[in-house]
Amino acid sequence: MEVLERKNEKRLKMDKSHIAKIFLTFAFFGVLIGGLFYPKIGLFAFVCMIGSVLLSFYKGRYWCYRFCPRGAFLDKFVARTSFNKNIPAVLKSRFAKAFMLTFFIVMMSANAILSGGDLERFGKGVVMLLWVTTLVSAILGILFRARTWCVICPMGTVSGVVGKKRGTLKIHTQKCISCKLCNKNCPMEVEVCNFKENGNIESVNCIKCESCKVACPKNAIEMA
């Protein structure tokens, strides 16, 4: 009975998540395509940037899985064609995260300076950056895991650092049998079992998708 209830709960969540992610994907490409004709639309990207950081103070990288339009695109479309291979270690390194964050800051600063205060030109620069990073995220998602981009996403990195200990998933040590199904099912390749002694999954890469919770055969993982 307990297994059946878990399956029904999972199915209900998947149905709701599917609809939400389809909507977010269409909204995302609405901004990408619409921004080519009306560049100021690209400024909506700041809603995601600000929203992800603000929410991280309360629930960590919760935004990345639930509300990020690009993340929804990767989950619902790129994942279908992904080779689902391991994410290269270099992309999971601190250097890669720092490089991408620095690159993002430099590009946005240069765009602001070159636009000379013209929102139309600034918006166009934002749209172009969105197109380039979306292309990169799609390529990475196909070659490796669908969410590979999220490992080096600048806003994801900021949110992860700020909310590392916020809204964490908890591991019940006595229930855990170290089968590592949680590790295998994590789209971000977080080594969940490594946090067993700590009791809380405090990783900058954890996007609170609860895939580890669903995969656990002993119900040893839950939201803290």
Side-chain angles (χ1 to χ4, degrees):
M1 177 64 76
E2 183 179 349
V3 174
L4 181 60
E5 289 180 353
R6 286 184 67 205
K7 287 184 177 180
N8 289 334
E9 180 183 357
K10 179 182 177 182
R11 187 180 298 110
L12 181 61
K13 285 185 177 181
M14 287 179 64
D15 289 341
K16 291 181 178 179
S17 175
H18 174 74
I19 295 173
K21 287 181 181 294
I22 292 295
F23 172 78
L24 287 170
T25 298
F26 275 101
F28 180 55
F29 277 92
V31 171
L32 284 178
I33 297 173
L36 295 175
F37 303 96
Y38 304 100
K40 288 183 181 179
I41 293 178
L43 299 179
F44 277 106
F46 286 93
V47 173
C48 287
M49 296 179 193
I50 296 173
S52 62
V53 175
L54 290 180
L55 188 59
S56 68
F57 282 97
Y58 174 59
K59 300 199 71 172
R61 290 187 66 174
Y62 188 82
W63 179 284
C64 296
Y65 181 72
R66 304 294 177 182
F67 306 116
C68 178
R70 179 180 284 148
F73 163 63
L74 296 175
D75 284 339
K76 300 311 297 181
F77 296 96
V78 174
R80 297 174 184 273
T81 57
S82 176
F83 293 142
N84 203 34
K85 293 187 176 181
N86 291 337
I87 300 172
V90 65
L91 293 181
K92 294 189 287 186
S93 68
R94 292 183 179 180
F95 171 79
K97 293 177 185 294
F99 174 81
M100 288 304 299
L101 180 57
T102 302
F103 174 78
F104 174 76
I105 293 174
V106 170
M107 292 301 293
M108 290 300 289
S109 299
N111 184 36
I113 295 172
L114 293 174
S115 64
D118 186 336
L119 288 180
E120 193 84 7
R121 293 181 63 185
F122 182 74
K124 184 176 181 180
V126 172
V127 172
M128 291 299 102
L129 185 59
L130 284 175
W131 271 106
V132 171
T133 52
T134 297
L135 179 60
V136 171
S137 69
I139 293 174
L140 289 175
I142 292 173
L143 294 177
F144 307 108
R145 288 182 181 267
R147 283 267 184 171
T148 299
W149 165 261
C150 302
V151 173
I152 57 174
C153 172
M155 299 316 300
T157 296
V158 174
S159 298
V161 172
V162 171
K164 183 178 179 180
K165 297 185 178 183
R166 303 288 183 177
T168 59
L169 284 139
K170 183 179 180 63
I171 304 178
H172 293 283
T173 306
Q174 295 180 338
K175 292 183 179 180
C176 178
I177 57 175
S178 299
C179 63
K180 296 189 177 181
L181 283 175
C182 48
N183 292 7
K184 294 177 182 178
N185 284 275
C186 178
M188 300 288 285
E189 293 189 359
V190 174
E191 296 292 331
V192 181
C193 282
N194 290 350
F195 296 92
K196 183 177 178 178
E197 293 185 7
N198 180 38
N200 293 306
I201 306 172
E202 298 177 353
S203 169
V204 295
N205 288 331
C206 179
I207 57 175
K208 323 300 179 186
C209 65
E210 299 185 35
S211 293
C212 55
K213 175 184 175 182
V214 174
C216 182
K218 295 297 182 179
N219 294 329
I221 301 175
E222 64 177 14
M223 290 300 294

